[in-house]
Amino acid sequence: MEDETTQFRDEIDRALELLSGRRTAVLTGAGISTDSGIPAYRGAGAPPRSKPMTAQTFFSDEAARRRYWLGGHLGWSRFASISPNGGHLALADLERRGDVTGVVTQNVDGLHLRAGSSHVVELHGTMRRILCLNCGQVFDRRSVEDRLEELNPWVRVPENVVLNPDGDVSPESSEGFVVPTCTVCDGMLKPDVVFFGEFIPTDRFRVSESLLRASDALLVAGTSLTVNSGIRVIERARRRGLPLVIINHEPTRADDWADVTIHGGTTPVLSELARRRP
């Protein structure tokens, strides 16, 4: 059976020709991290799971908040230990060479930064930081996890954790679980991520727009563009007339707008693009 780089050779050739000499911004989604072991929410191979946490539920339902924090704790150690894959490394290499201006990502896993990309806009936030919703204090996730275990000494990480796309698992019970609060004001804590039902901070989206203004093309990798934040980035690129290349296993909402579409895996295709860029 042909590997993907051979099967999609013509599309890769077209993408290389289109991107040649153009400084390229990159938009990524969950599909770029699946080869690192983080499942995607959607598409083939995506695991069945309960409805993701919404902002309204998190703020209003104490029991749901306990389940969220317990599930997040059980999945955090594995989530934090996952390494960047060849797709992340290829983009970091292309940035170092001046071909890529930066990465706008819908992911909260931090793998682009760990791979060595310097200009990264994390549209949906990051699991690495915890915010106090009352006083605005920012905490490193690891310090909050340490306090969580002090408050709940019975918690232990199972040997086989089934990881969800946002870095948590689904615990059987959260009864008796104590949620940590802010050490400054005792306020409610929340991971620095955009929940369903929340808006992306305006300043953060403006940074992504500035990246597009510094670019001559847009490369989309590993997202079906179901989430509106990705489509907003595409629309800004279209307004500027930027050529568009899409890499994704399955069709996306923007395929009709793309100059080149490659229906393949991000790791082999991005690695090939990096290898063959002059």
Side-chain angles (χ1 to χ4, degrees):
M1 184 176 181
E2 292 182 311
D3 64 27
E4 286 180 305
T5 56
T6 300
Q7 183 179 356
F8 301 110
R9 181 73 64 182
D10 289 344
E11 288 85 353
I12 291 174
D13 287 343
R14 290 175 57 210
L16 283 165
E17 182 178 359
L18 183 70
L19 299 176
S20 178
R22 290 187 166 101
R23 286 169 51 80
T24 303
V26 181
L27 170 67
T28 67
I32 198 172
S33 294
T34 54
D35 287 345
S36 291
I38 301 176
Y41 272 114
R42 303 172 182 87
R49 61 162 300 171
S50 59
K51 184 179 179 180
M53 175 62 71
T54 66
Q56 181 180 7
T57 300
F58 185 87
F59 297 139
S60 64
D61 189 332
E62 183 179 353
R65 215 160 39 243
R66 287 199 306 269
R67 288 193 299 271
Y68 176 85
W69 276 106
L70 176 55
H73 174 73
L74 294 175
W76 167 251
S77 60
R78 182 182 167 195
F79 190 71
S81 67
I82 287 175
S83 299
N85 61 52
H88 299 107
L89 296 172
L91 291 178
D93 180 49
L94 287 167
E95 183 184 330
R96 283 191 293 270
R97 289 155 51 182
D99 295 316
V100 162
T101 54
V103 177
V104 179
T105 185
Q106 297 169 302
N107 301 337
V108 297
D109 52 38
L111 292 180
H112 284 297
L113 290 168
R114 290 171 58 192
S117 291
S118 299
H119 303 130
V120 180
V121 183
E122 295 174 309
L123 279 182
H124 295 171
T126 174
M127 294 293 288
R128 301 185 307 275
R129 292 190 299 268
I130 304 294
L131 308 177
C132 174
L133 300 177
N134 184 51
C135 71
Q137 177 67 42
V138 179
F139 299 91
D140 185 287
R141 176 71 179 250
R142 293 168 295 184
S143 68
V144 176
E145 293 296 330
D146 289 343
R147 288 185 52 232
L148 187 150
E149 290 196 345
E150 291 174 3
L151 293 168
N152 304 276
W154 52 273
V155 171
R156 62 185 180 85
V157 178
E159 296 243 342
N160 297 305
V161 172
V162 179
L163 192 65
N164 286 330
D166 48 9
D168 70 354
V169 298
S170 300
E172 292 185 5
S173 174
S174 60
E175 185 176 353
F177 181 77
V178 180
V179 177
T181 56
C182 177
T183 54
V184 176
C185 72
D186 202 36
M188 182 188 298
L189 298 180
K190 173 185 175 292
D192 186 14
V193 298
V194 177
F195 285 157
F196 284 79
E198 286 188 300
F199 294 106
I200 293 172
T202 301
D203 290 348
R204 193 178 298 167
F205 195 81
R206 284 176 179 163
V207 176
S208 70
E209 291 179 311
S210 68
L211 190 63
L212 291 175
R213 286 194 294 271
S215 305
D216 308 308
L218 177 63
L219 172 66
V220 177
T223 172
S224 62
L225 299 170
T226 301
V227 178
N228 285 334
S229 59
I231 286 294
R232 288 176 65 194
V233 174
I234 298 284
E235 288 173 345
R236 298 303 192 276
R238 291 184 69 206
R239 289 178 190 175
R240 298 196 64 250
L242 300 185
L244 174 63
V245 175
I246 296 178
I247 304 166
N248 199 52
H249 266 302
E250 294 159 347
T252 80
R253 290 173 64 190
D255 283 0
D256 290 342
W257 303 333
D259 297 278
V260 179
T261 57
I262 304 175
H263 292 132
T266 56
T267 297
V269 174
L270 289 172
S271 298
E272 183 72 359
L273 288 176
R275 185 183 73 80
R276 295 177 56 192
R277 279 292 283 266

